[in-house]
Structure formats: C-alpha cells, structure tokens
Amino acid sequence: MTSRRFLGALSGPDVPAHLREDFTLLTAEHMRGQARLLFVGFILSLPMVVYGASAGAGALVAYGLPLIILLLSATGLVLLSRPRAEGDFGDARRIIDTVWKLCLLTAAVGSIWCIASWASAPLETRIYYPAIMSIGGLVLGYCLMAERSVGMTVVVVTMGPTIAVLASTGMVMDLVLAIAMAIGVGFQLTMMVRHQRLLLSLVEERHRSAELARRDPLTGLANRRALIERFEAFAERSGAVRLMVVDIDRFKTINDRFGHDMGDRVLRTLATLLASHARGEICAARLGGEEFGLLGSAEALDPAIALQLLREIGCARMPHGETITVSIGVADAVVSSPEDWNPLYAQADRALYRAKNDGRNRVMTHQSGADPDRFQTEPQALRA
C-alpha cells in the first residue's frame, strides 16, 4: 500500500454535505456519553496515580499534575451535564469542541506526568509508567473515536511523546515497549476510521428511512406526513399559505374498466404533472387514493396554477388511452400554529367537494373570512 493510500485510509470517509448536520448530531451524542464516562474514570484512577508516584518525582509531578487532571475532568462533567438542545447543530458542535479541548489538555498533562515519572523512577520500575500511559491513551482514544480528528490528535498527543522517548534510550525493553505502543496506536487509528464508517452508515440509513417515510411509494411524491411537516415549517414563520387539493374525477371507473395496475399508472402520470409545479418552497404530495395536494406560501403558489393544472391535466393523454379531468379545491390562511392545518385542509376539502357537486372539472376557492359554505366558482369558460 502506498503512503498516499495509507493516509487516505486513515482520513476516513468523506461525509456528504446533506448528511453532515445529522452526522455531527450523532457524533456529539456519542461523544457526550463516552466523555462523561471517561472523566469519571480519570477521577477514580487519580488516587492510584498519586499513590504510585515515583519516589524521585517532585511535588508538581506527584500531586500537581494529577490535580490538574482532576480539575479538567470535573470541568468536563459540569459542562457536559448541562441540558442539551435536541437537534441543535450549533450545540452539537460546541459539545465536540469542548470534549476535544479538555481531552487534549488532559492528554498533554498525562504525557508530561508519564515522561517526568519515567525519568525520575529507578530503572527497575520506570517502565511501568509508559505502560500505564499506554493503557490510558488507548482507552482515551477508544472513547473519542466517534470524531476521527478528535480521537487521532488526542491519541498522538498522549502516546507520541512517550513512544519517542522510549525509542531513543537504546535499551531493548524500552524499544520493545515503544514498538508495542506504536502498534497499539496504529490499531486504534484504524478502528477510529472503521467506527466513523459505521456511524456514517447509520446516518445514511436513518436519512434513507426518513426519506422513505415521507415519500409516497407509488408516485414518488411527498406523502401526507411530509406535507403536514412542510405546513408546520410555514406555521413557524407565521405567514400566509395556500393549499390546493386535487382529486381525479370518476377514478373508480378507470380501475373498474382497465384494472388497478392501469389506475396506478394514471396516478403516476398525474403525479408527474403536479411535480412540475413543485418549485422552490411549493410541495406536491399524494394525500391518499386519487387525492393530491399542492402547498406553498400564498406568494409562491399563485391561484393561476390551479387553472393551469386543470388545462394541463385535461389535455394530457393518459396511459389508458383517454383523458381525465380533476376537481380542485383551494383555501388560503394565515397560519401560526401546527393546529391550523386541520381548518385549512377542511376548507380546501369542502371547496373540492363543492366542485364535485357542481359538475366536476373545475376549481373552487374557499372564501376566507366568509361563511364556510360560500365559495367562488371559476368562470364558465374554464369548464371542459
């Protein structure tokens, strides 16, 4: 394997732009839980570190450095115990950065403690200090492997100086330990890349599942759930929206005469016509059966689109060799809450059924603010 391929393998997979936010959220979730356990482990191990301090080490190495690690760990626990904003990308990024900085500082202090203890210990005992450090460094890397750049830099800072010192003494056992630690670092770095690939696969699967849950499997349009979610996004902005409900006239006759497979092909053809109008913030969806919807801001979803659809659909040759007509109900509202969906849909639905009752193949618009049973009928010339 060439050095370029090796470095490419260590760099791990690139996260696609449309998955980066979800990947960061999942990474922060993993790191938050693992880092809290890590800091607790540091605190529990510090008494043993102090007890096992080298007899020749000064007070700074024996007590001062463990105290710094204690303070860093306690700070980490406090910062990571704060309530987390679910789905907040900025908060997730802050968690990752906080863990990175605290663990990097802890790794640097640990390296100083290891090298200073090793240098001041008797020959027969000093090899224990880098051995202890290697265990701590690999555990540290394992807990941080959710974020490759964090884990790699912390492992290198933790283990790199110790490996370099051991390899430079000229003593056989020091060199053996340095090589063993270097192999452990290489293994840890490889596992980090593999772990990130697993996380990325999980994010991709979640994204795929979420997309499928919001898509109508027959037509490929958004489904009712996705349309309501889009409505809720409009409601958060407190603006004027328009809903058009489109229903195929006498669709049951098509199924009865040509079969349900042909009926499905008609639905897909109609969906293609509707999708051509789903530009920008306009969402086209299949609400169920032969009923479809277009939702958008009142500014983006011009009322003329309903009339254009009526003409396009009426002129389109369908898979069964005939033309079809549709009835369209339109309703407008200024929305500010998810609860505003039901009234808006009810208004468009009533307008639709008035269009059906008045002869089909036409557009009816619910008059906002008026008696809900009063509708405006499109001009006679628009009827087929």
Side-chain angles (χ1 to χ4, degrees), residues 112-124:
I112 295 171
W113 171 86
C114 174
I115 294 172
S117 298
W118 175 86
S120 61
L123 288 177
E124 65 273 12

Side-chain angles (χ1 to χ4, degrees), residues 321-332:
E322 300 178 3
T323 58
I324 64 171
T325 63
V326 297
S327 298
I328 303 177
V330 183
D332 297 351

Side-chain angles (χ1 to χ4, degrees), residues 166-353:
L166 289 173
S168 66
T169 64
M171 298 181 65
V172 174
M173 291 309 297
D174 285 350
L175 181 60
V176 168
L177 182 56
I179 293 173
M181 290 174 66
I183 291 173
V185 169
F187 177 78
Q188 188 72 276
L189 296 181
T190 302
M191 290 302 295
M192 285 177 187
V193 173
R194 290 175 60 87
H195 185 74
Q196 189 185 48
R197 287 198 177 103
L198 289 174
L199 284 183
L200 181 56
S201 296
L202 179 58
V203 171
E204 288 175 336
E205 187 59 35
R206 284 185 177 182
H207 181 78
R208 192 177 301 113
S209 297
E211 283 293 305
L212 290 175
R214 290 165 175 80
R215 288 286 160 191
D216 174 57
L218 177 64
T219 64
L221 294 180
N223 59 16
R224 189 186 191 95
R225 172 183 176 182
L227 190 72
I228 293 176
E229 288 180 354
R230 182 66 64 89
F231 173 84
E232 290 172 349
F234 282 123
E236 287 180 1
R237 298 181 347 219
S238 299
V241 299
R242 178 169 291 123
L243 174 65
M244 298 179 181
V245 179
V246 182
D247 190 270
I248 301 176
D249 296 329
R250 297 186 175 90
F251 182 69
K252 183 177 182 300
T253 303
I254 298 175
N255 282 333
D256 292 342
R257 290 177 56 202
F258 301 97
H260 288 276
D261 287 344
M262 183 60 70
D264 289 345
R265 292 175 62 188
V266 170
L267 291 174
R268 286 193 288 267
T269 302
L270 177 61
T272 301
L273 293 172
L274 289 173
S276 67
H277 294 279
R279 306 183 189 94
E281 61 182 9
I282 300 175
C283 178
R286 183 185 178 201
L287 301 177
E290 65 271 24
E291 187 174 270
F292 297 81
L294 283 175
L295 176 73
S297 67
E299 181 180 1
L301 188 55
D302 193 281
I305 290 177
L307 305 180
Q308 186 178 347
L309 273 173
L310 208 64
R311 298 189 190 96
E312 289 177 358
I313 296 170
C315 294
R317 199 71 174 176
M318 291 292 158
H320 62 302
E322 300 178 3
T323 58
I324 64 171
T325 63
V326 297
S327 298
I328 303 177
V330 183
D332 297 351
V334 176
V335 298
S336 58
S337 167
E339 285 72 27
D340 293 333
W341 164 258
N342 287 333
L344 177 66
Y345 176 74
Q347 291 170 3
D349 194 50
R350 287 200 296 272
L352 169 67
Y353 278 94

